[in-house]
């Protein structure tokens, strides 16, 4: 199963990257270039997050001592400790990167839709590259702190993955790092959701205003209906709607896939601190289930760009128009 999911994830991300590269060549638009750059960075992070931690996990699956208790496995040797630390760092880095980049995409689209003149003047390709580097550096900083002996990484149940200590005893640094990971992830998902809702409302308001202005014009009924139908298809398949459809799908996937794991981490830490804010008992099995759900984020993300393209959306819109 692990081999199948790794293969599917790799092929999906490579296919989506090819589609984005083709779009970059065909549509050299200043308004779309920042979005394509962020989308490419997101897919690269998804590809790396699927292949690198997946390879580490496969190694632990095939290790001869995989049936040992996870805590004993973590103490097995200096080499095992180093391996677990690198594995845990890759989990934190490739876990945070897609969430932060998805948030940046949502913010970029909100500015582009609500303030197009400001977007054209401020949101340049160079600044988007800088934003990608800063967000990646933030995720990298959090990931490497345990490698500098600020916190630690331990093998988690059932001994096939490494992460920050989220069960049992932990140090103050471990607690702070786990809360920072879950807090940043939940904040990124929440901000993405907010920006997408606001962007959708702006597009809806623009559509309503356009319809009201169009209705005031005196045209024959048949011409008005034809014009309205044609305009609906054009509006439905416009560039803004294409990018908003992709963003909405990315946000939903991140919300469904990542929220259980992020909430389980936060809930476990808060319970350890005896702060009963999240009244949920988090077992090792629930954390493992949350991680498996999160791993599907890297598989589903590329299919958003494969399926929600302008050509596909145009066919869907035309099918709706034919049925009306």
């Amino acid at each position: 199963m692990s081999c199948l999911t790794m293969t599917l994830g790799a092929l999906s991300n490579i296919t989506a990257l090819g589609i984005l590269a083709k779009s970059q060549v065909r549509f050299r638009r200043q308004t779309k270039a920042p979005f394509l750059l962020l989308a490419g960075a997101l897919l690269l992070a998804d590809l790396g997050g699927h292949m690198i931690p997946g390879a580490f996990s496969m190694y632990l699956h095939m290790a001869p001592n995989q049936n040992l208790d996870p805590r004993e496995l973590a103490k097995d040797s200096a080499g095992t400790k180093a391996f677990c630390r690198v594995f845990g760092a890759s989990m934190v880095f490739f876990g945070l990167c897609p969430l932060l980049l998805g948030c940046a995409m949502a913010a970029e689209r909100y500015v582009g839709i609500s303030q197009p003149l400001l977007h054209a003047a401020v949101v340049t390709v160079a600044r988007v590259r800088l934003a990608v580097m800063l967000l990646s550096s933030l995720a990298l900083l959090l990931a490497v702190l345990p490698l500098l002996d600020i916190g630690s990484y331990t093998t988690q149940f059932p001994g096939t993955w490494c992460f920050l200590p989220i069960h049992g005893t932990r140090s103050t640094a471990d607690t702070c790092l786990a809360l920072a990971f879950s807090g940043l992830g939940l904040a990124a998902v929440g901000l993405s959701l907010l920006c997408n809702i606001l962007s959708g409302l702006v597009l809806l308001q623009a559509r309503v205003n356009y319809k009201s202005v169009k209705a005031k014009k005196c045209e024959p009924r048949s011409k008005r209906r034809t014009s309205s139908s044609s305009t609906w298809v054009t509006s439905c398949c416009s560039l803004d709607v294409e990018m908003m459809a992709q963003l909405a799908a990315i946000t939903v996937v991140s919300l469904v896939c990542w929220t259980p794991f992020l909430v389980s981490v936060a809930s476990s830490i808060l319970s350890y601190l005896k702060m009963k804010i999240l009244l949920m008992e988090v077992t090792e099995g629930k954390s493992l289930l949350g991680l498996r759900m999160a791993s599907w984020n890297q598989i589903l993300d590329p299919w958003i760009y494969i399926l929600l393209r302008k050509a596909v959306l145009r066919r869907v819109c035309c099918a709706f128009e034919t049925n009306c």
Side-chain angles (χ1 to χ4, degrees):
M1 183 58 68
S2 298
C3 288
L4 287 176
T5 54
M6 284 183 62
T7 303
L8 176 61
L11 292 177
S12 300
N13 280 282
I14 291 173
T15 302
L17 283 169
I19 291 173
L20 278 184
K22 188 177 179 181
S23 299
Q24 186 84 32
V25 174
R26 291 182 59 189
F27 303 104
R28 296 184 179 275
R29 295 183 52 161
Q30 185 65 26
T31 55
K32 193 173 183 179
F35 182 84
L36 288 176
L37 179 59
L38 289 169
L42 174 64
L43 289 177
L44 284 174
D46 281 339
L47 180 61
H50 203 74
M51 297 302 297
I52 296 176
F56 289 152
S57 180
M58 286 293 297
Y59 174 81
L60 289 183
H61 272 291
M62 296 183 295
N65 55 355
Q66 63 178 332
N67 294 323
L68 293 178
D69 182 84
R71 296 170 185 81
E72 295 298 323
L73 180 61
K75 302 175 183 177
D76 188 34
S77 65
T80 303
K81 287 182 180 180
F83 174 84
C84 189
R85 294 173 78 180
V86 175
F87 188 2
S90 69
M91 291 284 290
V92 171
F93 176 75
F94 289 112
L96 271 183
C97 260
L99 298 176
L100 295 176
L101 292 173
C103 180
M105 291 171 65
E108 185 272 336
R109 271 301 81 209
Y110 172 68
V111 175
I113 292 173
S114 61
Q115 301 290 337
L117 295 179
L118 178 64
H119 178 273
V122 175
V123 185
T124 62
V125 173
R127 287 175 178 169
V128 169
R129 286 174 181 164
L130 179 61
V132 171
M133 291 180 61
L134 289 176
L135 293 175
S136 302
S137 299
L138 177 60
L140 183 62
L141 175 63
L142 189 65
V144 301
L145 283 177
L147 303 182
L148 303 175
D149 294 327
I150 304 175
S152 61
Y153 290 114
T154 59
T155 309
Q156 305 291 326
F157 174 84
T160 55
W161 61 292
C162 296
F163 197 68
L164 298 165
I166 53 179
H167 299 286
T169 58
R170 71 211 77 177
S171 65
T172 303
D174 292 333
T175 301
C176 293
L177 288 176
L179 282 177
F181 176 84
S182 60
L184 281 173
L186 290 172
V189 173
L191 187 57
S192 299
L193 184 61
L194 177 62
C195 289
N196 288 335
I197 290 174
L198 294 176
S199 300
L201 291 176
V202 172
L203 287 177
L204 181 61
Q205 182 65 38
R207 176 65 179 164
V208 170
N209 292 341
Y210 181 83
K211 272 190 169 184
S212 62
V213 172
K214 195 75 174 175
K216 293 179 181 179
K217 294 184 178 181
C218 297
E219 299 180 29
R221 186 174 180 179
S222 60
K223 289 184 178 180
R224 184 163 61 245
R225 182 176 179 181
T226 303
S227 176
S228 177
S229 176
S230 176
T231 303
W232 184 85
V233 175
T234 303
S235 176
C236 178
C237 302
S238 67
L239 184 63
D240 282 338
V241 174
E242 175 192 7
M243 290 188 285
M244 278 307 304
Q246 293 173 350
L247 268 179
I250 289 172
T251 304
V252 170
V253 167
S254 298
L255 193 65
V256 173
C257 292
W258 272 104
T259 300
F261 181 68
L262 294 173
V263 170
S264 70
V265 172
S267 180
S268 177
I269 298 299
L270 293 176
S271 298
Y272 176 75
L273 296 175
K274 305 197 183 318
M275 297 172 62
K276 304 297 183 180
I277 299 175
L278 299 173
L279 299 177
M280 182 180 70
E281 182 183 356
V282 181
T283 62
E284 293 178 332
K286 288 181 180 179
S287 297
L288 179 62
L289 178 61
L291 178 70
R292 286 173 175 168
M293 291 181 63
S295 67
W296 276 90
N297 184 80
Q298 284 90 345
I299 298 176
L300 297 177
D301 269 352
W303 284 98
I304 294 170
Y305 298 99
I306 295 172
L307 298 177
L308 297 183
R309 290 176 290 154
K310 192 171 183 178
V312 178
L313 289 175
R314 183 182 291 112
R315 292 176 185 173
V316 174
C317 295
C318 291
F320 273 111
E321 183 206 2
T322 304
N323 294 334
C324 291

